[in-house]
Amino acid sequence: MSAARRFRIAAIPADGVGREVVAAGREVLDALAAGSGGAFAFDWQAFGWGCEYYARTGRMMADDGLTVLKEFDAIYFGAVGWPGVPDHISLWGLRLAICQNFDQWANVRPVRFLPGVRSPLRKADDTELDWVVVRENSEGEYAGLGGRNLSARGPGSEVAIQSALFTEAGCERIMRFAFDLARTRTRPKVSSVTKSNAQQYGMVLWDDVFRRVARDYPDVETESVLVDAMSAKFVLRPEDLSVVVASNLHADILSDLGSALAGSLGLAASANLNPERRFPSMFEPVHGSAPDIAGQGLANPIGAVGSAAMMLDHLGLPEQAARLHAAIEATTAAGILTRDLGGAASTEDVTKALIDALNP
Ligand SMILES: NC(=O)c1ccc[n+]([C@@H]2O[C@H](COP(=O)([O-])OP(=O)(O)OC[C@H]3O[C@@H](n4cnc5c(N)ncnc54)[C@H](O)[C@@H]3O)[C@@H](O)[C@H]2O)c1
């Protein structure tokens, strides 16, 4: 049957559990499309890039990979990294190569609490908790600036410099994105994460821009919190958070903390957005390739399926995204949980439950 709207999606499962959760996400999305009565469909193309490809070719992705990917409506990504390939090679060779060259400067990472999932957070039982980490995804501490050029000093005396880059334009666009997002939420509040007490150049610029941008959004509540205090606040006062905007490194760490508080890293979804839509955006679970459980059918697919819901939103299908979220909640509420959440269900069991919940 030919569908009214077709979306071209590039699937890059890459390594480890990335392959299992992307397969699960594709199955769920295809079930959603099959039940849409021909309203929409996905044209998938899978790319076998990652650490195995590197072992064969010496590259993490094809030479013309970015040119090929540019033609897609979106990219659905698994996770990259495998023992035997240094992590900085695999990350920079594939995931960061896509994020940076496609200017996916906003990385959106919601922290959702699900029914039936026990959080280690004491307050999670009696409070509505729901926040979004907005990560600056194009510069900051991951700008790749620095060097190890003094190796001539000999073993034991090497020196490395890793610099962070903060531009006024980079800070401003991510903060405006965070404020615009805050206006769509029940509680319009933006918390900026800083470390300007110790980092007196980049982080002070970050704070200055935050104060300036905030003046354009008088209806949005604001606060500026040091990253160390913010990590405590995630645990002790989570009900006070709505949108949390942070630099590349700070948000990377805080969003893992957030997903652990929600119950497991396996639940956390994320979107790497090019908001101007000059390039395809990329949707991926927050977690890595989990070599410790890969290939055993133990991976929790909910982070990948939640990322698929974010992709549906981005493609202009918000009601379908809501159906996917409802299916996730129905599945966890029914106690169909993988081992990371204390259950005994396999990746396949959860995938099947999600599909059943879509078409009850
Ligand atoms: N976006 C990415 O591609 C990305 C992100 C983080 C780490 N990595 C890479 O992944 C590799 C492993 O890194 P790591 O061990 O630090 O982080 P990880 O996220 O792969 O694993 C951390 C822990 O969480 C568990 N876990 C992760 N995903 C899960 C899932 N879906 N279901 C159940 N449990 C899950 C793992 O079993 C492990 O105990 C490294 O090579 C690293 O560079 C890639």
Side-chain angles (χ1 to χ4, degrees):
M1 186 171 58
S2 73
R5 297 177 72 187
R6 303 196 74 88
F7 299 101
R8 291 193 66 207
I9 313 291
I12 309 178
D15 303 315
V17 297
R19 299 178 186 189
E20 296 160 67
V21 298
V22 163
R26 284 183 59 169
E27 237 183 280
V28 173
L29 282 173
D30 283 339
L32 194 69
S36 77
F40 66 93
F42 301 102
D43 292 329
W44 295 98
Q45 191 171 336
F47 295 90
W49 300 328
C51 289
E52 263 184 35
Y53 184 88
Y54 181 85
R56 273 186 280 118
T57 65
R59 293 187 304 270
M60 286 300 295
M61 69 192 296
D63 275 345
D64 64 350
L66 292 170
T67 313
V68 174
L69 289 177
K70 198 170 179 301
E71 301 309 316
F72 285 83
D73 293 314
I75 302 164
Y76 192 47
F77 193 86
V80 69
W82 197 250
V85 180
D87 283 345
H88 66 278
I89 302 273
S90 55
L91 201 63
W92 278 98
L94 188 58
R95 188 184 167 278
L96 286 178
I98 297 171
C99 287
Q100 301 218 341
N101 285 294
F102 285 174
D103 202 17
Q104 294 166 345
W105 51 266
N107 183 199
V108 182
R109 297 182 153 190
V111 178
R112 280 212 170 82
F113 287 72
L114 294 169
V117 176
R118 239 199 26 236
S119 161
L121 209 52
R122 195 166 24 99
K123 290 189 175 174
D125 303 331
D126 50 22
T127 323
E128 271 284 299
L129 296 178
D130 170 23
W131 70 89
V132 188
V133 176
V134 173
R135 170 184 179 188
E136 201 299 312
N137 211 28
S138 67
E139 51 180 52
E141 307 85 346
Y142 296 179
L145 298 175
R148 286 179 60 172
N149 294 333
L150 300 174
S151 52
R153 291 183 174 189
S157 300
E158 210 180 330
V159 177
I161 294 175
Q162 185 87 47
S163 299
L165 171 78
F166 290 89
T167 67
E168 197 164 358
C171 296
E172 178 160 351
R173 65 182 181 177
I174 199 65
M175 283 163 189
R176 288 198 183 278
F177 184 93
F179 276 97
D180 290 337
L181 178 64
R183 278 186 168 161
T184 68
R185 294 173 58 82
T186 320
R187 182 165 182 198
K189 174 175 180 182
V190 179
S191 307
S192 164
V193 178
T194 184
K195 193 63 197 170
S196 50
N197 56 344
Q199 297 184 301
Q200 69 275 56
Y201 307 116
M203 280 285 132
V204 170
L205 175 65
W206 174 274
D207 289 356
D208 287 347
V209 176
F210 182 66
R211 272 192 298 271
R212 177 164 63 72
V213 170
R215 285 201 288 274
D216 292 341
Y217 297 82
D219 51 316
V220 178
E221 202 187 330
T222 61
E223 66 178 349
S224 184
V225 184
L226 293 171
V227 65
D228 30 355
M230 184 58 97
S231 49
K233 186 164 184 170
F234 264 43
V235 178
L236 299 173
R237 296 207 55 212
E239 72 282 6
D240 200 37
L241 301 171
S242 178
V243 174
V244 177
V245 65
S247 70
N248 219 328
L249 173 67
H250 290 162
D252 196 7
I253 298 168
L254 286 172
S255 54
D256 265 34
L257 173 60
S259 51
L261 294 174
S264 165
L265 196 47
L267 296 173
S270 100
N272 299 285
L273 300 177
N274 174 244
E276 299 86 1
R277 295 180 185 250
R278 283 189 302 127
F279 300 100
S281 292
M282 181 159 76
F283 302 84
E284 54 164 359
V286 168
H287 64 74
S289 58
D292 54 332
I293 59 162
Q296 301 172 47
L298 296 174
N300 189 339
I302 287 180
V305 173
S307 310
M310 298 179 85
M311 181 164 79
L312 293 172
D313 257 329
H314 182 76
L315 295 172
L317 300 170
E319 59 301 320
Q320 302 298 333
R323 285 185 65 203
L324 219 46
H325 285 306
I328 291 173
E329 290 189 7
T331 302
T332 57
I336 302 164
L337 306 174
T338 41
R339 200 178 65 176
D340 54 310
L341 297 174
S346 64
T347 311
E348 203 183 318
D349 296 334
V350 175
T351 308
K352 185 176 175 310
L354 289 166
I355 292 172
D356 291 346
L358 281 176
N359 305 303

